[in-house]
Amino acid sequence: MQIEIILLIISVLFFISILAGKAGYRLGVPALLLFLIVGMLCGSDGLGIHFENIYIAQIIGTVSLSIILFSGGMDTKISEIRSIIPQGIVLATVGVFLTAITTGVAIWWILGMTLPSAGVGFITSLLLAATMSSTDSASVFSILRAKDLRLKNNLRPILELESGSNDPMAYVLTITLINIIQVNGTPNYWLAGGNVLMQLIIGAVAGFLLGKLIVYIINKLQIDTSLSPILVLACCIFVFSATYFIKGNSYLAVYIAGVTIGNAKFLHKRSILNFFDGLSWLSQLMMFLTLGLLVNPRELWSVTVPGLIISFLMIFVTRPFSVFISLLPFRKMALRDKTFVSWVGLRGAVPIIFAIITLAEGVPHARLIFNIVFFCTLVSLIVQGTSLPRVAKWLKVAIIHDKMKKMENFDIEFSEEIKSITSEIMITSEILNQGNRLMDLGMPEKTLAIMVRRGDSFFVPTGKTKLYEGDNLLILTDNQEALQETYQKLGIS
């Protein structure tokens, strides 16, 4: 196939996915689910795009996931997660392990009843469960942020910390079980457990040290603003690959490196964060589209019954059981908070990527594992992904807040270290009733008018500047309370 045709197909798929994501946002459907569906509709059973290259899919998934984890780490504020680090770590380790074990036993029993001819053994059932044992960071990050879902009692930091740090545990369990199956002998569980612990420790230490080194390099080199994001991207890929060669967990390393970098001071930080925010969305789009193209929807019909039963058990039984057992030491955590955490057990691209590893390694029943994982991911995104805001309100853990209107006439962004709030005000005849000069508006002392847009012109006002109906005024305030006071002074609801 000509390269021009390939590029044309990719661009059209991206365009359709973005339109679907925009429509899904308005309808309350996760964009990631629609990315998957677009890939499925355009695949071999749909429009006929044949994509069956497991190796390329694994590369796209691995690189995309490392970027998503790195970007999620940079957005994680230590000040927000400091008080809930123990809960997050327990959920990311003990919670994942319990989910894998309990779900594995359930899968062994379910497949024995629904697909006895497949002959799936206990270790293979555990492998299938291990691929789905972690919550998907891409799904959790995108849904919580796209919906601007604000939660009480530090629930959002807990969920983001868990989803960003539990993939490594699931990955190590998956690789360990694959090795046990391939050896085809009596597994040494103590050795396997030691390897799991060692990989996590090496990954965490490597991520922290390399993150510190990256910050030092950025500040020392002082390269151009346009090249700084590229440098950090190269460092992200280096952290992932270098950790692999020292026998550490690469996924944990990139997440810890991202957290280390995101909480440090360095040059061009705002432009780098914006770059990775866009790159993270691009990675999610590529990853979910690729996975959608890889699946054959006709094969999913054969796993519908076991897939529905497994999905039901994971959503309502094994995930809640693992969460409640893991959080037993934290008695001050309310029942409704634990219930919501158990509901946010979203599956997404990560389980499918881990299932692709089983295909690449030639594990027996790998295609069955892939199809069941894909089916369960669809169910999870449909059931849990679409209902997160409603469940949060039902459990009374959501914070009801007035969403500020996004600025449309001023393309200005301040550093995250500046805690002030900017807002845009349209000048109306009612506002000008007090006088048409800026000083006549009587704005509070903590509010500063910093720019006016009149037509296509922008200028900095003074107290004597005359304002006209239709002008757009950019104001800067200390906090939300000062902003509300300003609105009240101007008679804005």
Side-chain angles (χ1 to χ4, degrees), residues 396-433:
K396 297 180 181 180
V397 297
I399 298 175
I400 308 300
H401 65 286
D402 296 325
K403 292 185 179 180
M404 290 178 58
K405 182 181 177 182
K406 293 183 179 180
M407 288 193 292
E408 298 175 353
N409 295 284
F410 300 93
D411 188 13
I412 294 177
E413 203 169 10
F414 292 94
S415 170
E416 61 181 8
E417 296 173 4
I418 300 175
K419 303 302 180 183
S420 302
I421 297 175
T422 55
S423 182
E424 176 183 318
I425 294 175
M426 168 74 78
I427 301 299
T428 63
S429 57
E430 289 78 11
I431 293 176
L432 295 177
N433 285 338

Side-chain angles (χ1 to χ4, degrees), residues 69-78 81 161 164 207-208 211 215 252-264 269:
L69 287 171
F70 188 79
S71 177
M74 287 200 295
D75 288 336
T76 302
K77 303 294 179 290
I78 293 293
I81 68 170
L161 176 60
F208 176 76
V215 173
L252 181 60
V254 291
Y255 179 73
I256 296 297
V259 173
T260 305
I261 295 169
N263 287 274
K269 185 174 183 177

Side-chain angles (χ1 to χ4, degrees), residues 88-317:
I89 292 176
V90 170
L91 286 170
T93 52
V94 178
V96 170
F97 180 78
L98 289 176
T99 300
I101 295 298
T102 55
T103 306
V105 174
I107 288 174
W108 184 47
W109 174 68
I110 292 166
L111 293 183
M113 291 178 56
T114 58
L115 294 173
S117 60
V120 177
F122 181 66
I123 300 298
T124 303
S125 299
L126 286 178
L127 173 60
L128 172 54
T131 62
M132 298 188 291
S133 57
S134 66
T135 57
D136 184 66
S137 55
S139 302
V140 174
F141 288 156
S142 63
I143 291 175
L144 289 180
R145 293 171 187 180
K147 300 295 183 183
D148 192 23
L149 187 59
R150 300 188 185 181
L151 302 169
K152 300 176 183 177
N153 306 326
N154 282 334
L155 281 177
R156 182 162 168 167
I158 289 176
L159 294 170
E160 292 191 346
L161 176 60
E162 179 203 6
S163 65
S165 59
N166 65 4
D167 294 336
M169 184 68 176
Y171 174 77
V172 171
L173 289 175
T174 300
I175 295 300
T176 301
L177 289 168
I178 288 175
N179 292 335
I180 290 174
I181 291 173
Q182 289 178 334
V183 170
N184 196 24
T186 303
N188 188 332
Y189 293 107
W190 287 106
L191 179 60
N195 288 334
V196 169
L197 183 61
M198 186 58 65
Q199 286 189 39
L200 293 176
I201 292 174
I202 294 175
V205 173
F208 176 76
L209 294 179
L210 290 174
K212 288 289 187 182
L213 178 61
I214 292 169
V215 173
Y216 174 79
I217 291 173
I218 295 172
N219 290 328
K220 191 70 175 178
L221 291 181
Q222 297 185 356
I223 62 175
D224 188 73
T225 307
S226 57
L227 288 176
S228 294
I230 308 301
L231 171 64
V232 179
L233 175 60
C235 292
C236 167
I237 303 302
F238 174 81
V239 170
F240 182 88
S241 54
T243 306
Y244 169 82
F245 286 108
I246 60 174
K247 306 301 181 182
N249 189 282
S250 300
Y251 293 111
L252 181 60
V254 291
Y255 179 73
I256 296 297
V259 173
T260 305
I261 295 169
N263 287 274
K265 294 181 179 180
F266 53 90
L267 295 175
H268 315 309
K269 185 174 183 177
R270 173 53 53 188
S271 62
I272 291 173
L273 291 175
N274 288 338
F275 172 81
F276 270 92
D277 186 47
L279 188 61
S280 176
W281 270 107
L282 175 62
S283 299
Q284 293 176 47
L285 197 157
M286 289 181 58
M287 184 167 58
F288 278 79
L289 262 181
T290 302
L291 299 177
L293 288 171
L294 191 63
V295 72
N296 297 318
R298 285 179 296 180
E299 295 181 4
L300 297 182
W301 290 110
S302 61
V303 299
T304 299
V305 174
L308 285 173
I309 298 174
I310 293 169
S311 298
F312 175 85
L313 286 174
M314 291 194 72
I315 293 172
F316 295 102
V317 181

